[in-house]
Amino acid sequence: MPIQPFGSGHINRTFKIDDGDLSFVLQRVNHHVFRKPEIIATNIRLASDHLKRNYPDYLFLSPLPSQTELDMVYDEEGYPWRLMPYFKNSITINEVGTPLEAYEAARGFAQLTKNLSGCDVSKFKPTIDRFHDLNWRFEQFKDALAGAKPDRLERATEAIQACQDFSYLVDEYSNLITDGFLKLRVMHNDTKINNILFDSQSRKVVCVIDLDTLMPGYFIYDLGDMIRTFVSPVSEEEQDLAKIIFRKDIYDALLQGYLSEMKSELSEKEIQVIPFAGCMMTYIMALRFLADYLNGDIYYSIAYEGQNLVRATNQLNLLEKLRRQL
Ligand code: GN1
Ligand code: MG
Protein backbone atom coordinates (compact mmCIF):
# COMPACT_ATOMS: atom_id res chain seq x y z
CA MET A 1 0.00 0.00 0.00
CA PRO A 2 1.71 3.28 -1.04
CA ILE A 3 2.26 5.71 1.85
CA GLN A 4 3.76 9.16 1.38
CA PRO A 5 4.37 12.27 3.51
CA PHE A 6 1.55 14.74 3.08
CA GLY A 7 0.69 18.37 3.86
CA SER A 8 2.68 21.24 5.28
CA GLY A 9 2.01 21.19 9.04
CA HIS A 10 4.77 22.19 11.44
CA ILE A 11 3.81 19.98 14.37
CA ASN A 12 2.25 16.59 13.53
CA ARG A 13 3.48 14.05 10.95
CA THR A 14 0.99 13.43 8.20
CA PHE A 15 0.86 10.76 5.50
CA LYS A 16 -1.43 9.89 2.62
CA ILE A 17 -2.28 6.25 2.10
CA ASP A 18 -3.61 5.01 -1.21
CA ASP A 19 -5.45 1.72 -1.17
CA GLY A 20 -6.92 1.05 -4.59
CA ASP A 21 -9.81 3.44 -5.09
CA LEU A 22 -9.72 4.59 -1.49
CA SER A 23 -7.33 7.10 0.05
CA PHE A 24 -6.80 8.06 3.67
CA VAL A 25 -4.87 10.59 5.69
CA LEU A 26 -2.85 9.05 8.51
CA GLN A 27 -1.50 11.31 11.20
CA ARG A 28 0.86 10.96 14.13
CA VAL A 29 -0.05 13.54 16.75
CA ASN A 30 2.91 15.30 18.37
CA HIS A 31 2.29 14.51 22.03
CA HIS A 32 5.13 16.79 23.13
CA VAL A 33 3.01 19.69 21.89
CA PHE A 34 -0.40 18.19 22.60
CA ARG A 35 0.32 16.87 26.08
CA LYS A 36 -3.20 15.51 26.51
CA PRO A 37 -4.17 14.20 23.06
CA GLU A 38 -7.34 12.66 24.46
CA ILE A 39 -8.69 16.19 24.89
CA ILE A 40 -8.42 16.65 21.11
CA ALA A 41 -10.53 13.52 20.63
CA THR A 42 -13.10 14.57 23.24
CA ASN A 43 -13.53 18.07 21.79
CA ILE A 44 -13.94 16.71 18.26
CA ARG A 45 -16.44 14.14 19.51
CA LEU A 46 -18.48 16.83 21.33
CA ALA A 47 -18.53 19.03 18.23
CA SER A 48 -19.33 16.16 15.90
CA ASP A 49 -22.28 15.00 18.04
CA HIS A 50 -23.69 18.51 18.13
CA LEU A 51 -23.28 18.99 14.39
CA LYS A 52 -24.82 15.62 13.51
CA ARG A 53 -27.85 16.43 15.66
CA ASN A 54 -28.35 19.99 14.45
CA TYR A 55 -26.72 20.21 11.00
CA PRO A 56 -26.84 16.70 9.54
CA ASP A 57 -25.73 17.91 6.09
CA TYR A 58 -22.66 19.73 7.41
CA LEU A 59 -19.40 17.95 6.52
CA PHE A 60 -17.23 17.71 9.62
CA LEU A 61 -13.95 15.81 9.47
CA SER A 62 -13.95 13.32 12.36
CA PRO A 63 -11.33 10.59 12.63
CA LEU A 64 -12.36 7.12 11.48
CA PRO A 65 -12.83 4.67 14.37
CA SER A 66 -10.25 1.92 14.81
CA GLN A 67 -11.25 -1.76 14.83
CA THR A 68 -11.78 -1.37 18.56
CA GLU A 69 -13.86 1.81 18.04
CA LEU A 70 -11.15 4.22 19.22
CA ASP A 71 -10.51 7.66 17.68
CA MET A 72 -6.76 7.32 18.25
CA VAL A 73 -4.40 4.39 18.68
CA TYR A 74 -1.14 4.75 20.64
CA ASP A 75 2.19 3.29 19.46
CA GLU A 76 4.95 1.90 21.74
CA GLU A 77 6.55 5.34 22.06
CA GLY A 78 3.29 6.82 23.29
CA TYR A 79 2.43 8.70 20.08
CA PRO A 80 -1.26 8.73 19.19
CA TRP A 81 -2.16 7.95 15.56
CA ARG A 82 -5.42 8.58 13.79
CA LEU A 83 -6.88 7.92 10.38
CA MET A 84 -9.09 10.29 8.42
CA PRO A 85 -10.87 10.04 5.12
CA TYR A 86 -9.19 11.70 2.14
CA PHE A 87 -11.50 13.54 -0.21
CA LYS A 88 -10.76 12.96 -3.87
CA ASN A 89 -10.68 16.10 -6.05
CA SER A 90 -9.94 18.28 -3.06
CA ILE A 91 -6.98 20.63 -2.70
CA THR A 92 -5.39 22.93 -0.18
CA ILE A 93 -3.66 26.19 -1.10
CA ASN A 94 -0.82 28.02 0.65
CA GLU A 95 -1.66 31.49 -0.65
CA VAL A 96 -4.99 33.08 -1.50
CA GLY A 97 -5.19 33.79 -5.24
CA THR A 98 -8.54 35.54 -5.67
CA PRO A 99 -11.10 37.47 -3.62
CA LEU A 100 -13.54 34.60 -4.21
CA GLU A 101 -11.16 32.15 -2.51
CA ALA A 102 -10.84 34.54 0.44
CA TYR A 103 -14.62 34.90 0.66
CA GLU A 104 -15.24 31.15 0.48
CA ALA A 105 -12.53 30.18 2.97
CA ALA A 106 -13.61 32.81 5.51
CA ARG A 107 -17.22 31.74 5.13
CA GLY A 108 -16.12 28.14 5.71
CA PHE A 109 -14.39 28.91 9.00
CA ALA A 110 -17.22 31.22 10.08
CA GLN A 111 -19.82 28.57 9.38
CA LEU A 112 -18.05 26.17 11.74
CA THR A 113 -18.14 28.73 14.58
CA LYS A 114 -21.74 29.58 13.86
CA ASN A 115 -22.86 25.96 13.73
CA LEU A 116 -21.12 25.32 17.05
CA SER A 117 -22.60 28.37 18.73
CA GLY A 118 -25.32 26.27 20.39
CA CYS A 119 -22.73 24.01 22.08
CA ASP A 120 -21.93 24.29 25.75
CA VAL A 121 -18.46 25.84 25.50
CA SER A 122 -17.65 24.88 29.11
CA LYS A 123 -17.56 21.21 28.10
CA PHE A 124 -14.64 21.88 25.72
CA LYS A 125 -11.17 21.85 27.29
CA PRO A 126 -8.02 23.57 25.98
CA THR A 127 -5.87 21.15 23.97
CA ILE A 128 -2.95 23.54 24.65
CA ASP A 129 -3.20 25.86 27.63
CA ARG A 130 -3.22 29.62 26.98
CA PHE A 131 -2.59 28.91 23.29
CA HIS A 132 -3.52 32.36 21.97
CA ASP A 133 -3.04 34.30 25.18
CA LEU A 134 -0.81 37.14 23.98
CA ASN A 135 0.40 37.90 27.53
CA TRP A 136 1.60 34.35 27.91
CA ARG A 137 3.29 34.34 24.50
CA PHE A 138 5.07 37.60 25.37
CA GLU A 139 6.26 36.05 28.65
CA GLN A 140 7.57 33.05 26.73
CA PHE A 141 9.38 35.38 24.34
CA LYS A 142 11.03 37.13 27.30
CA ASP A 143 12.08 33.76 28.76
CA ALA A 144 13.55 32.78 25.40
CA LEU A 145 15.49 36.05 25.29
CA ALA A 146 16.90 35.41 28.74
CA GLY A 147 18.04 31.89 27.83
CA ALA A 148 19.25 32.43 24.25
CA LYS A 149 22.76 31.71 23.02
CA PRO A 150 24.78 34.86 22.10
CA ASP A 151 25.06 34.00 18.38
CA ARG A 152 21.28 33.65 18.04
CA LEU A 153 20.70 36.90 19.97
CA GLU A 154 23.12 38.62 17.64
CA ARG A 155 21.50 37.32 14.45
CA ALA A 156 18.04 38.21 15.71
CA THR A 157 18.82 41.73 16.99
CA GLU A 158 16.47 43.52 14.57
CA ALA A 159 13.59 41.12 15.03
CA ILE A 160 13.96 41.28 18.82
CA GLN A 161 13.82 45.07 18.72
CA ALA A 162 10.73 45.01 16.50
CA CYS A 163 8.97 42.54 18.83
CA GLN A 164 9.70 44.86 21.73
CA ASP A 165 8.49 47.90 19.81
CA PHE A 166 5.14 46.23 19.13
CA SER A 167 4.63 45.22 22.77
CA TYR A 168 1.93 47.88 23.18
CA LEU A 169 -0.29 45.31 21.43
CA VAL A 170 0.04 43.14 24.55
CA ASP A 171 -1.49 45.95 26.63
CA GLU A 172 -4.27 46.45 24.09
CA TYR A 173 -4.99 42.74 24.22
CA SER A 174 -5.03 42.69 28.04
CA ASN A 175 -7.46 45.60 28.15
CA LEU A 176 -9.71 43.89 25.65
CA ILE A 177 -9.83 40.70 27.67
CA THR A 178 -10.34 42.56 30.96
CA ASP A 179 -13.22 44.54 29.44
CA GLY A 180 -14.96 41.20 29.09
CA PHE A 181 -17.10 41.85 26.03
CA LEU A 182 -15.47 39.21 23.86
CA LYS A 183 -17.65 36.12 24.02
CA LEU A 184 -15.98 32.77 24.68
CA ARG A 185 -16.88 30.44 21.81
CA VAL A 186 -15.76 27.11 20.41
CA MET A 187 -13.15 28.23 17.87
CA HIS A 188 -10.98 26.43 15.32
CA ASN A 189 -7.86 28.31 16.44
CA ASP A 190 -5.71 27.48 13.40
CA THR A 191 -7.47 29.16 10.50
CA LYS A 192 -4.56 29.62 8.16
CA ILE A 193 -5.51 29.32 4.52
CA ASN A 194 -4.10 25.81 4.10
CA ASN A 195 -6.52 24.47 6.69
CA ILE A 196 -9.42 24.78 4.25
CA LEU A 197 -10.14 22.02 1.79
CA PHE A 198 -11.37 23.32 -1.57
CA ASP A 199 -13.04 21.34 -4.33
CA SER A 200 -10.45 21.37 -7.13
CA GLN A 201 -13.10 22.03 -9.81
CA SER A 202 -15.70 24.34 -8.28
CA ARG A 203 -13.31 26.01 -5.78
CA LYS A 204 -16.06 25.77 -3.18
CA VAL A 205 -15.16 24.80 0.38
CA VAL A 206 -15.37 21.06 1.04
CA CYS A 207 -14.64 21.31 4.77
CA VAL A 208 -12.26 22.77 7.31
CA ILE A 209 -9.35 20.55 8.39
CA ASP A 210 -6.84 20.33 11.26
CA LEU A 211 -9.13 20.27 14.26
CA ASP A 212 -6.43 19.79 16.91
CA THR A 213 -7.02 23.20 18.41
CA LEU A 214 -10.81 23.14 18.30
CA MET A 215 -11.34 24.56 21.78
CA PRO A 216 -12.65 27.61 23.64
CA GLY A 217 -11.39 30.94 22.32
CA TYR A 218 -12.40 34.34 21.00
CA PHE A 219 -13.48 35.13 17.45
CA ILE A 220 -10.45 37.42 17.04
CA TYR A 221 -8.19 34.34 17.07
CA ASP A 222 -9.84 32.83 13.99
CA LEU A 223 -10.55 36.02 12.11
CA GLY A 224 -7.07 37.35 12.95
CA ASP A 225 -5.30 34.24 11.67
CA MET A 226 -7.28 34.50 8.43
CA ILE A 227 -6.20 38.12 8.00
CA ARG A 228 -2.62 37.07 8.76
CA THR A 229 -2.55 34.33 6.13
CA PHE A 230 -4.95 35.62 3.44
CA VAL A 231 -4.07 39.27 2.74
CA SER A 232 -0.47 38.78 1.64
CA PRO A 233 0.17 37.09 -1.72
CA VAL A 234 3.07 35.17 -0.14
CA SER A 235 3.18 32.85 2.85
CA GLU A 236 4.98 33.16 6.19
CA GLU A 237 7.93 31.33 4.59
CA GLU A 238 8.73 34.09 2.08
CA GLN A 239 12.20 35.61 2.45
CA ASP A 240 11.76 38.47 -0.01
CA LEU A 241 9.99 41.04 2.16
CA ALA A 242 9.11 43.23 -0.84
CA LYS A 243 6.66 40.55 -1.90
CA ILE A 244 4.64 40.95 1.31
CA ILE A 245 1.79 43.34 0.60
CA PHE A 246 -1.64 44.17 1.99
CA ARG A 247 -4.27 43.31 -0.61
CA LYS A 248 -7.31 45.41 0.18
CA ASP A 249 -9.60 43.49 -2.19
CA ILE A 250 -8.72 40.23 -0.47
CA TYR A 251 -9.21 41.76 2.99
CA ASP A 252 -12.64 43.07 2.02
CA ALA A 253 -13.69 39.73 0.54
CA LEU A 254 -12.46 37.90 3.64
CA LEU A 255 -14.55 40.13 5.92
CA GLN A 256 -17.58 39.80 3.68
CA GLY A 257 -17.32 36.02 3.70
CA TYR A 258 -16.79 35.90 7.46
CA LEU A 259 -19.62 38.28 8.27
CA SER A 260 -22.02 36.57 5.87
CA GLU A 261 -22.17 33.84 8.55
CA MET A 262 -21.04 35.54 11.74
CA LYS A 263 -22.54 39.04 11.64
CA SER A 264 -25.62 38.04 13.63
CA GLU A 265 -23.44 36.32 16.24
CA LEU A 266 -21.07 39.22 16.94
CA SER A 267 -21.82 42.19 19.19
CA GLU A 268 -21.24 45.80 18.06
CA LYS A 269 -18.17 45.95 20.28
CA GLU A 270 -16.79 42.74 18.82
CA ILE A 271 -17.21 44.13 15.29
CA GLN A 272 -15.16 47.17 16.33
CA VAL A 273 -12.11 45.06 17.23
CA ILE A 274 -11.87 43.34 13.84
CA PRO A 275 -8.85 45.42 12.69
CA PHE A 276 -7.02 44.59 15.93
CA ALA A 277 -7.56 40.85 15.31
CA GLY A 278 -5.24 40.72 12.29
CA CYS A 279 -2.46 42.65 14.02
CA MET A 280 -2.72 40.62 17.20
CA MET A 281 -2.48 37.25 15.47
CA THR A 282 0.38 38.34 13.22
CA TYR A 283 2.24 39.63 16.25
CA ILE A 284 1.64 36.44 18.22
CA MET A 285 3.14 34.39 15.36
CA ALA A 286 6.16 36.70 15.16
CA LEU A 287 6.72 36.22 18.90
CA ARG A 288 6.26 32.45 18.70
CA PHE A 289 8.59 31.98 15.72
CA LEU A 290 11.22 34.25 17.22
CA ALA A 291 11.02 32.59 20.64
CA ASP A 292 11.49 29.22 18.95
CA TYR A 293 14.52 30.52 17.05
CA LEU A 294 16.01 31.83 20.31
CA ASN A 295 15.23 28.52 22.06
CA GLY A 296 17.17 26.60 19.38
CA ASP A 297 14.27 25.46 17.14
CA ILE A 298 12.60 23.06 19.52
CA TYR A 299 8.93 23.54 18.52
CA TYR A 300 8.34 24.18 14.80
CA SER A 301 9.91 21.82 12.33
CA ILE A 302 12.49 23.51 10.12
CA ALA A 303 14.02 22.58 6.78
CA TYR A 304 17.02 24.91 7.02
CA GLU A 305 19.04 26.77 9.63
CA GLY A 306 17.52 30.13 10.52
CA GLN A 307 14.04 29.31 9.16
CA ASN A 308 12.24 30.39 12.32
CA LEU A 309 14.03 33.74 12.19
CA VAL A 310 12.96 34.11 8.55
CA ARG A 311 9.36 33.37 9.55
CA ALA A 312 9.49 35.87 12.44
CA THR A 313 10.99 38.57 10.21
CA ASN A 314 8.32 37.89 7.58
CA GLN A 315 5.54 38.23 10.16
CA LEU A 316 7.00 41.44 11.60
CA ASN A 317 7.11 42.94 8.13
CA LEU A 318 3.51 41.92 7.50
CA LEU A 319 2.55 43.40 10.87
CA GLU A 320 4.07 46.76 9.93
CA LYS A 321 2.06 46.73 6.71
CA LEU A 322 -1.14 45.74 8.52
CA ARG A 323 -0.66 48.53 11.06
CA ARG A 324 -0.49 51.04 8.23
CA GLN A 325 -3.75 49.80 6.71
CA LEU A 326 -5.93 48.75 9.64
C1 GN1 B 1 1.33 25.43 13.66
O1 GN1 B 1 1.28 22.56 12.61
P1 GN1 B 1 0.44 23.56 11.97
O2 GN1 B 1 1.05 24.05 10.72
O3 GN1 B 1 -0.99 23.11 11.83
C2 GN1 B 1 0.77 26.02 14.95
C3 GN1 B 1 -0.17 27.17 14.65
C4 GN1 B 1 0.53 28.23 13.82
C5 GN1 B 1 1.11 27.57 12.57
C6 GN1 B 1 1.93 28.56 11.77
C7 GN1 B 1 -0.29 23.53 17.58
O4 GN1 B 1 0.29 24.84 12.95
O5 GN1 B 1 -0.58 27.77 15.86
O6 GN1 B 1 -0.33 29.24 13.45
O7 GN1 B 1 1.94 26.45 12.89
N1 GN1 B 1 0.08 24.97 15.69
C8 GN1 B 1 0.42 24.66 16.95
O8 GN1 B 1 2.14 28.05 10.49
O9 GN1 B 1 1.29 25.27 17.56
MG1 MG C 1 -2.59 23.04 13.17
Side-chain angles (χ1 to χ4, degrees), residues 115-178:
N115 288 355
L116 291 175
S117 65
C119 276
D120 178 358
V121 65
S122 69
K123 291 202 174 123
F124 290 73
K125 304 267 173 319
T127 60
I128 298 177
D129 284 331
R130 304 179 75 180
F131 189 53
H132 283 146
D133 176 345
L134 189 54
N135 280 299
W136 170 238
R137 294 303 185 179
F138 194 70
E139 288 305 313
Q140 289 184 317
F141 162 66
K142 285 197 287 191
D143 288 349
L145 264 184
K149 296 223 170 84
D151 61 318
R152 294 221 167 201
L153 281 174
E154 168 90 41
R155 261 180 85 186
T157 313
E158 259 185 63
I160 293 168
Q161 187 58 51
C163 276
Q164 278 160 342
D165 291 346
F166 278 117
S167 66
Y168 63 90
L169 292 170
V170 182
D171 302 325
E172 278 184 43
Y173 174 80
S174 298
N175 293 337
L176 206 59
I177 301 305
T178 320

Side-chain angles (χ1 to χ4, degrees), residues 8-12 33-34 127-128 131-132 137 189-192 194-195 210 212-213 225 228-229 236-237 281 284-285 288-289 299-300 311:
S8 54
H10 299 330
I11 310 287
N12 296 330
V33 168
F34 295 101
T127 60
I128 298 177
F131 189 53
H132 283 146
R137 294 303 185 179
N189 280 302
D190 193 7
T191 57
K192 50 186 188 180
N194 54 20
N195 279 335
D210 189 358
D212 295 332
T213 48
D225 214 34
R228 176 180 86 81
T229 59
E236 66 197 17
E237 302 293 349
M281 288 303 289
I284 213 169
M285 283 317 303
R288 293 178 64 195
F289 285 139
Y299 188 88
Y300 297 108
R311 291 166 174 156

Side-chain angles (χ1 to χ4, degrees), residues 49-78:
D49 289 349
H50 175 84
L51 294 165
K52 270 192 204 131
R53 267 198 312 275
N54 296 285
Y55 305 92
D57 296 334
Y58 180 77
L59 181 58
F60 183 71
L61 190 63
S62 296
L64 297 166
S66 71
Q67 284 173 336
T68 49
E69 295 294 315
L70 297 171
D71 292 331
M72 292 185 302
V73 176
Y74 290 76
D75 67 17
E76 309 83 56
E77 288 173 71

